[in-house]
């Protein structure tokens, strides 16, 4: 659904005539070769002889004249008197030989035999071409490479490849961006800086030089920048940081220079660098591998340029990244990218607004309620929502609907969450039973957990790459913080599938592997990141977490084997306890487990309403709450809040 802005003044794109350029280089090469050959082969009457023969001939008085250069000696033989009549073309016979280097005696010998000597300077035409040819070849290889690698041809290698948008040429504006109101307001302020610079300058304020948009992928950072291009009423240069780096050393730096030169000429204007982390990674993080000089040089040039323009020159540098934590500290210091605007995932209202933007051109059926759709998609970024609308429209088209219905949207969101339904994957009877009990186990355990939301649907129709069945639980709303009992609850829910298989079939299957993976990850995070282990206490074993990229591997602190062992033990204990808890819950609710599984085998999917009748009968064992909240002794007694009664939130 993205709208592409046509670049206004762009460098000519050389991609198409590439082949022709290559053919003409080849032709040129052949032509030069031909000329050089012609020059070298020109004198047919010159015969090469060994140097010794030349000296012999000199000494026997046969040589009339010799012209000597450092490359060769061309000499003429005296016409032999007894060989008359001379041949038709009576030019004297010429011979050539290669001179012996440093033969100091040669001039003496020649003189003593009355040979006419001529010294030839070295700039013979043949030598000239001889030198030129390899250069020419090199140039052609380089040219054809640079042609292919960047479509800019040889001469524009050092030029910036920024696209420039002139005022109003972008067809995206602020109305096309929703759910990020704070970011929009801040950017509007920036636009105001440029448009009414005088107001700020006369008050003595310095206009910021650099503004950094940070946020998770797909939240609309690039889109916001494009909207500014449409709104600001000033020229807008846009480039992706990776475009600075080319195969040639030094190109990045000169592109940065060129970009800023252009920008300064167009001031007031905005320069936008997308995915800044490609260029601005911390220099410290790389010094073990010396391979990144080029990026470093480019970064240095960028820093220098940012310092180079006076604060109120009217150039504002805008950049976007989803990994602010890896950026070089020098980029972030005051006077450079000192303003940071967070573009975060939208809340429910924001999601509704984004859905409305993308559904604008889609024919919606009466029953579509965008607010309901927004409610069931927490965690979706703008790009996911755009994708959701598009998937729903595609589904509606495939089903020949006249308009996109709510059912299409539901199916689309399930597809995005769990993958495409795979009716063609036929499970045998045993597999089906295993999956049915497994999913029923998840549903029962999940229904008991605090803050986990409503079980919306369970299904034993295979989906996506790996899922043989799935349980969808709708979160109650947007969450920005989780308490420990909820995380522990998640652990138990994840292991509910495996536990059900164990108690019903008394054997293990591979079906739980994804759950186990997730549970292990979660348990590890509890201990190494959230500081929730009673034994280790609030210790972070992993270094700073990437705030916007979930699950992005971070380097682990240097820890002792002792601590490492303790972590392993804690992890295993936590997972095992959660597993025991799940088993206990399901044993207490075996009758409901049986009912749900049977119903699932009959109907394949169960929706919220049908499920509710079963799940209402589920009761939780007394130990559950104790375990979720960890028994009180392991936590220090709260003293500040209420000395009599431990502070504990129980209502969700
Ligand atoms: P980012 O640069 O943050 O990774 P993009 O700006 O490239 O994300 O967003 C990709 C697409 O997702 C956009 O072209 C747009 O269609 C949609 N999108 C993302 N965020 C929003 C938003 N806040 N409002 C409307 N559409 C959005
Ligand atoms: Mg982007
Ligand atoms: Zn499972």
């Amino acid at each position: 659904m993205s709208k592409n802005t046509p670049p206004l003044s762009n460098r000519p794109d050389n991609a198409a005539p590439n082949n022709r350029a290559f053919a003409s280089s080849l032709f040129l090469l052949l032509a030069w070769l031909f000329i050089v050959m012609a020059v070298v082969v020109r004198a047919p009457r010159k015969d090469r002889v060994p140097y010794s023969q030349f000296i012999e001939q000199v000494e026997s008085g046969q040589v009339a004249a010799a012209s000597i250069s450092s490359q060769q000696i061309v000499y003429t033989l005296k016409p032999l008197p007894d060989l008359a009549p001379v041949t038709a073309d009576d030019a004297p016979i010429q011979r050539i030989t290669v001179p012996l280097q440093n033969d100091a005696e040669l001039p003496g010998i020649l003189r003593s035999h009355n040979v006419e000597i001529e010294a030839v300077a070295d700039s013979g035409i043949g030598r000239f071409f001889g030198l030129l040819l390899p250069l020419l070849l090199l140039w052609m290889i380089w040219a054809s490479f640079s042609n292919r690698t960047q479509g800019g041809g040889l001469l524009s290698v050092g030029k910036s490849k920024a696209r420039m948008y002139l005022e109003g040429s972008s067809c995206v504006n602020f109305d096309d961006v929703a759910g990020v109101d704070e970011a929009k307001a801040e950017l509007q302020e920036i636009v105001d800086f440029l448009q009414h610079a005088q107001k700020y300058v006369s008050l003595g304020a310095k206009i910021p030089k650099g503004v950094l948009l940070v946020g998770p992928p797909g939240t609309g950072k690039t889109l916001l920048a494009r909207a500014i291009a449409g709104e600001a009423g000033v020229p807008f240069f846009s480039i992706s940081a990776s475009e600075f780096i080319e195969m040639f050393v030094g190109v990045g730096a000169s592109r940065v220079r060129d970009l800023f030169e252009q920008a300064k000429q167009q001031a007031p204007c905005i320069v936008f660098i997308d995915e800044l982390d490609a260029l601005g990674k911390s220099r410290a993080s790389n010094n073990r591998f010396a391979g990144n000089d080029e990026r470093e040089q480019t970064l240095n040039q960028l820093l220098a340029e940012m310092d180079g323009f006076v604060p109120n020159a009217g150039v504002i540098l805008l950049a976007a990244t989803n990994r602010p934590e890896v950026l070089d500290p020098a980029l972030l210091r005051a006077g450079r990218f000192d303003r940071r605007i967070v573009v975060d995932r939208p809340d429910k209202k924001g999601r509704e607004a984004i859905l409305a933007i993308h559904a604008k051109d889609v024919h919606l059926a009466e029953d579509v309620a965008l607010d309901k759709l927004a409610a069931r998609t927490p965690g979706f970024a703008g790009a996911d929502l755009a994708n959701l609308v598009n998937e729903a429209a595609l589904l509606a088209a495939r089903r020949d609907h006249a308009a996109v219905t709510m059912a299409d949207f539901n199916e689309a969101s399930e597809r995005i969450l769990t993958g495409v339904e795979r009716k063609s994957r036929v499970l045998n009877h045993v597999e089906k039973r295993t999956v049915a009990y497994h999913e029923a186990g998840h549903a029962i355990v999940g229904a008991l957990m605090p803050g986990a939301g409503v079980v919306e649907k369970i299904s034993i129709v295979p989906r996506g790459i790996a899922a043989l069945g799935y349980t969808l639980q709708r979160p109650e709303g947007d969450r920005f913080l989780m308490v420990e009992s909820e995380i522990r609850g998640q652990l138990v829910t994840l292991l509910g599938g495996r536990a059900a298989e164990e108690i019903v079939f008394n054997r293990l299957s591979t079906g739980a592997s994804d759950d186990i993976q997730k549970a292990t990850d979660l348990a590890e995070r509890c201990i190494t990141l959230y500081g929730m282990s009673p034994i280790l206490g609030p210790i972070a074993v992993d270094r700073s977490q990437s705030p916007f990229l979930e699950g992005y591997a971070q380097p682990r602190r240097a820890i002792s084997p002792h601590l490492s062992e303790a972590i392993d033990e804690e992890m295993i204990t936590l997972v095992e306890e959660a597993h025991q808890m799940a088993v206990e819950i399901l044993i207490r609710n075996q009758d409901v487990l049986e009912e749900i599984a049977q119903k699932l085998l009959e109907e394949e999917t169960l929706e919220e309403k049908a499920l509710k009748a079963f799940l209402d009968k589920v009761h939780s064992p007394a130990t559950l709450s104790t375990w979720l909240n960890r028994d009180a002794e392991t936590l220090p007694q709260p003293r500040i809040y209420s000395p009599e009664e431990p502070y504990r939130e129980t209502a969700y």
Side-chain angles (χ1 to χ4, degrees):
M1 303 231 38
S2 77
K3 296 169 192 168
N4 268 318
T5 314
L8 241 203
S9 90
N10 201 346
R11 269 162 224 292
D13 191 3
N14 283 11
N18 232 358
N19 276 339
R20 223 185 310 147
F22 187 66
S24 69
S25 328
L26 207 69
F27 173 76
L28 254 173
L29 175 75
L30 288 177
W32 278 114
L33 262 176
F34 190 77
I35 293 171
V36 171
M37 295 285 280
V39 167
V40 171
V41 185
R42 195 180 40 172
R45 297 203 51 200
K46 287 179 184 169
D47 301 315
R48 265 177 193 280
V49 293
Y51 189 64
S52 58
Q53 193 186 335
F54 164 63
I55 297 293
E56 243 168 56
Q57 284 173 328
V58 172
E59 285 180 336
S60 61
Q62 294 173 31
V63 178
S67 67
I68 301 170
S69 70
S70 66
Q71 296 293 307
Q72 60 182 22
I73 300 173
V74 180
Y75 65 97
T76 354
L77 293 177
K78 284 178 189 156
L80 293 175
D82 50 331
L83 266 185
V86 197
T87 37
D89 47 342
D90 50 347
I93 297 167
Q94 280 191 334
R95 301 268 155 102
I96 48 175
T97 186
V98 178
L100 206 63
Q101 296 297 317
N102 305 325
D103 188 352
E105 289 167 23
L106 183 64
I109 297 173
L110 290 178
R111 233 173 298 137
S112 68
H113 289 92
N114 289 326
V115 179
E116 198 179 305
I117 307 172
E118 186 192 359
V120 180
D122 261 343
S123 59
I125 190 148
R127 189 165 154 71
F128 172 69
F129 283 121
L131 264 178
L132 200 64
L133 190 68
L135 280 181
L136 204 74
L137 263 170
L138 270 178
W139 179 75
M140 277 172 185
I141 291 169
W142 190 28
S144 76
F145 258 114
S146 57
N147 248 333
R148 262 178 246 182
T149 48
Q150 36 123 12
L154 178 69
L155 294 176
S156 62
V157 154
K159 294 276 164 54
S160 99
K161 302 207 298 181
R163 291 156 295 278
M164 189 174 106
Y165 303 93
L166 287 182
E167 193 178 333
S169 67
S170 165
C171 47
V172 181
N173 56 38
F174 277 144
D175 292 338
D176 294 315
V177 193
V180 283
D181 297 333
E182 293 92 348
K184 261 196 327 197
E186 287 214 41
L187 285 173
Q188 240 140 6
E189 194 189 7
I190 306 284
V191 171
D192 195 58
F193 285 151
L194 286 177
Q195 286 171 341
H196 308 106
Q198 208 43 51
K199 183 172 77 188
Y200 296 90
V201 174
S202 64
L203 280 171
K206 287 202 183 85
I207 293 173
K209 281 184 188 174
V211 179
L212 189 60
L213 298 171
V214 294
T219 45
K221 299 180 295 295
T222 309
L223 188 70
L224 266 172
R226 282 207 263 142
I228 287 208
E231 298 267 338
V234 296
F236 184 88
F237 295 87
S238 167
I239 191 168
S240 168
S242 58
E243 287 176 79
F244 285 115
I245 309 287
E246 210 53 77
M247 63 188 285
F248 306 115
V249 175
V251 168
S254 86
R255 284 202 177 142
V256 170
R257 243 186 329 267
D258 185 61
L259 173 63
F260 277 85
E261 236 151 64
Q262 283 185 47
K264 274 183 245 172
Q265 279 165 17
Q266 300 279 345
C269 69
I270 296 173
V271 175
F272 174 58
I273 302 179
D274 207 354
E275 314 290 350
L276 183 68
D277 45 293
L279 181 63
K281 255 190 225 129
S282 172
R283 285 165 290 186
S285 68
N286 262 76
N287 54 10
R288 247 168 297 160
F289 315 98
N292 248 317
D293 281 357
E294 168 65 354
R295 208 199 60 221
E296 215 165 280
Q297 253 184 45
T298 311
L299 174 58
N300 282 337
Q301 185 65 38
L302 180 67
L303 295 175
E305 292 290 347
M306 288 191 79
D307 289 341
F309 59 84
V310 275
N312 296 327
V315 180
I316 288 185
L317 193 53
L318 189 67
T321 180
N322 41 37
R323 302 187 55 198
E325 77 282 357
V326 303
L327 289 185
D328 198 287
L331 268 175
L332 302 175
R333 76 142 165 81
R336 290 185 181 145
F337 285 107
D338 43 3
R339 279 224 172 187
R340 263 183 272 179
I341 298 180
V342 177
V343 187
D344 214 344
R345 292 203 180 85
D347 57 7
K348 179 167 170 281
K349 245 180 64 198
R351 288 195 296 274
E352 191 179 339
I354 294 174
L355 282 170
I357 288 174
H358 290 284
K360 217 168 38 196
D361 304 325
V362 175
H363 192 55
L364 296 181
E366 296 275 290
D367 66 336
V368 175
L370 292 182
D371 55 336
K372 273 199 197 133
L373 214 49
R376 48 182 295 175
T377 47
F380 274 42
D384 303 322
L385 295 167
N387 185 24
L388 171 64
V389 175
N390 194 44
E391 282 283 325
L394 289 175
L395 271 175
R398 184 171 327 150
R399 294 166 172 178
D400 287 329
H401 291 174
V404 186
T405 63
M406 197 63 182
D408 296 324
F409 274 106
N410 287 342
E411 169 67 16
S413 73
E414 266 172 54
R415 262 184 193 217
I416 290 171
L417 289 172
T418 56
V420 180
E421 220 171 58
R422 291 173 66 177
K423 294 225 166 110
S424 63
R425 176 178 278 178
V426 182
L427 302 181
N428 68 31
H429 180 66
V430 178
E431 286 168 337
K432 250 193 174 149
R433 268 170 57 81
T434 309
V435 176
Y437 280 96
H438 177 109
E439 298 306 332
H442 279 310
I444 291 172
V445 175
L448 288 178
M449 293 306 149
V454 187
V455 182
E456 196 171 285
K457 178 177 179 178
I458 53 180
S459 160
I460 54 170
V461 179
R463 265 183 188 272
I465 301 167
L468 297 179
Y470 57 94
T471 305
L472 275 185
Q473 216 164 355
R474 182 176 65 227
E476 279 161 350
D478 296 335
R479 296 296 301 268
F480 304 100
L481 180 98
M482 301 250 295
V483 296
E484 190 185 356
S485 59
E486 290 169 337
I487 295 188
R488 295 183 140 226
Q490 269 189 6
L491 267 179
V492 185
T493 310
L494 280 169
L495 294 165
R498 162 58 67 90
E501 291 181 47
E502 280 172 74
I503 55 175
V504 176
F505 304 105
N506 199 22
R507 54 142 170 81
L508 306 179
S509 80
T510 57
S513 72
D514 189 47
D515 298 333
I516 292 172
Q517 184 80 41
K518 283 184 186 147
T520 313
D521 280 351
L522 187 58
E524 185 181 11
R525 264 183 285 150
C526 279
I527 289 149
T528 63
L529 207 62
Y530 308 144
M532 286 178 179
S533 151
I535 290 174
L536 301 183
I539 291 283
V541 178
D542 289 337
R543 284 187 195 281
S544 65
Q545 176 84 337
S546 175
F548 298 124
L549 297 180
E550 267 160 36
Y552 195 82
Q554 291 296 318
R556 186 155 274 198
R557 226 171 267 285
I559 53 175
S560 69
H562 171 71
L563 183 55
S564 174
E565 230 167 76
I567 293 170
D568 293 346
E569 255 164 52
E570 280 289 277
M571 253 170 69
I572 293 170
T573 313
L574 183 56
V575 173
E576 188 43 39
E577 281 178 8
H579 176 220
Q580 292 303 333
M581 203 66 245
V583 171
E584 195 177 329
I585 293 171
L586 290 175
I587 288 179
R588 294 279 318 253
N589 293 288
Q590 227 167 342
D591 46 341
V592 188
L593 180 65
E594 195 65 38
E595 285 172 29
I596 296 180
Q598 287 308 327
K599 190 87 180 160
L600 255 182
L601 283 169
E602 279 165 35
E603 312 207 339
E604 293 207 322
T605 59
L606 282 177
E607 303 271 348
E608 193 176 333
K609 264 189 226 129
L611 263 172
K612 196 169 182 303
F614 296 114
L615 293 178
D616 279 348
K617 290 189 278 184
V618 174
H619 38 236
S620 73
T623 46
L624 177 63
S625 163
T626 326
W627 186 77
L628 287 180
N629 294 300
R630 273 212 259 153
D631 62 80
E633 283 119 63
T634 61
L635 283 177
Q637 292 304 309
R639 272 169 302 222
I640 306 166
Y641 304 105
S642 125
E644 288 83 33
E645 203 180 297
Y647 173 78
R648 205 150 268 159
E649 190 72 71
T650 41
Y652 290 98

